[in-house]
Amino acid sequence: MKERGILIVVSGFSGSGKGTLMKELLERYEDRYALSVSATTRKPREGEIHGREYFFLSRDEFEKMIAKDELIEYAKYVENYYGTPRAYVEEKLEEGKDVILEIEIQGALNIKKMFPDALLLFVTPPDADELRRRLVGRGTETMDVIKSRMDRACEEAEGMENYDYLIVNDSLDECVREMHAIIQGEHRRTSRNREFVKRIKEDLERLKGEE
C-alpha cells in the first residue's frame, strides 16, 4: 500500500526567503512534493495558467465552495477571495506526495486545528538585522513599506512557538537539505505509523504462539 503523504504548512517572515526555498525544494525533489495550488477570484495575470499558478474562479463559484466546505482555509484580500481547495490537497496526499501549503500564521494555526497531523515549519533568517538587510536589498520597496514589514515580523514572531520546527535560512543549499530531512524524518514518527506498529505486534504474537 502506498504511504500517504504529509500535509506541510510553511510560514515565515516577509524577506525570510521562503518562496526561493520552496522553489528549490520542489525542483530538487519533484517526485516527493506537491505545492498546493490556491483558488482565487482575481483575474489571471499575463502568463498565468488555470491550475498551475491558481485555480481561477468566479465569485459565485468560490462562494459555492465555501458553502459546501470544499476549502481547507480561505481569506479575502483587496476584494478578492483566496483559498486552498480540499479535493486537490486530498488527491495529492493519497498519491503519496507531501503537500506544501505556504500561508501566513493565522491560516497555519487554523489548519493545525483541522488537521492535527499537519507539520508546521517556520522559515526565518539567522537574525533580525539580516531580515532587514534582505528587505532593503530587494530594492523594490520604500522604507515605509520595509518598516511595516518589520513591524509585522514582530507580531508574527509571537506565534513562532506554535510551529513544530524552525528552518533557519542562512545557506540556501543547507536549508533545502535540512528541510527535506525533517519532512522525511516525520514519515517515521511512530504516531504516523500506527498500522505498522499494530501489524508487527500481531506478527510477533503469532510467531510466539507457533514456538
Side-chain angles (χ1 to χ4, degrees):
M1 190 179 79
K2 182 174 276 191
E3 185 179 28
R4 182 177 163 86
I6 294 174
L7 183 62
I8 303 150
V9 178
V10 177
S11 306
F13 305 124
S14 176
S16 63
K18 61 184 180 296
T20 307
L21 183 57
M22 296 298 93
K23 186 170 179 286
E24 189 68 24
L25 187 76
L26 288 156
E27 281 181 7
R28 283 197 207 179
Y29 308 103
E30 61 181 338
D31 58 325
R32 285 289 331 163
Y33 300 107
L35 188 63
S36 173
V37 179
S38 297
T40 184
T41 55
R42 79 158 171 79
K43 298 292 181 224
R45 293 179 186 136
E46 191 175 341
E48 290 183 332
I49 295 171
H50 177 78
R52 188 181 69 184
E53 279 79 17
Y54 286 96
F55 294 112
F56 294 100
L57 307 176
S58 68
R59 181 174 292 267
D60 187 48
E61 286 171 326
F62 199 104
E63 288 176 347
K64 279 180 182 170
M65 289 186 79
I66 295 172
K68 292 179 182 175
D69 195 29
E70 292 174 353
L71 296 163
I72 291 174
E73 55 84 37
Y74 70 93
K76 198 173 183 182
Y77 299 106
V78 199
E79 298 307 305
N80 282 308
Y81 283 116
Y82 294 83
T84 304
R86 189 183 299 274
Y88 178 86
V89 169
E90 285 291 341
E91 177 192 326
K92 294 298 175 188
L93 290 172
E94 286 301 321
E95 286 175 12
K97 296 263 184 146
D98 294 329
V99 179
I100 300 171
L101 273 62
E102 190 186 322
I103 51 178
E104 46 71 48
I105 285 183
Q106 197 54 51
L109 299 183
N110 287 338
I111 283 176
K112 189 72 171 176
K113 286 177 193 167
M114 288 186 286
F115 297 87
D117 276 352
L119 175 65
L120 269 56
L121 308 177
F122 193 91
V123 181
T124 174
D127 56 56
D129 287 331
E130 176 61 20
L131 178 63
R132 192 172 186 283
R133 272 195 296 274
R134 289 181 188 179
L135 287 170
V136 172
R138 284 176 174 177
T140 55
E141 291 156 345
T142 65
M143 291 310 291
D144 283 346
V145 171
I146 288 166
K147 184 184 181 306
S148 71
R149 292 199 187 282
M150 290 299 291
D151 290 346
R152 173 77 176 140
C154 287
E155 295 169 17
E156 290 172 334
E158 294 300 314
M160 288 169 75
E161 291 89 345
N162 295 305
Y163 284 71
D164 299 305
Y165 293 92
L166 283 177
I167 307 292
V168 180
N169 189 7
D170 193 356
S171 157
L172 179 64
D173 185 57
E174 284 177 26
C175 195
V176 170
R177 279 189 278 120
E178 180 184 289
M179 191 169 179
H180 178 65
I182 286 170
I183 296 166
Q184 295 318 303
E186 275 294 305
H187 280 275
R188 301 279 69 82
R189 190 183 283 268
T190 51
S191 61
R192 297 185 192 275
N193 290 276
R194 291 194 179 98
E195 280 301 312
F196 177 86
V197 172
K198 179 171 177 280
R199 190 172 71 248
I200 204 161
K201 280 181 177 177
E202 288 170 353
D203 287 348
L204 286 164
E205 286 296 328
R206 176 177 54 78
L207 291 172
K208 183 181 171 186
E210 289 173 4
E211 288 174 1

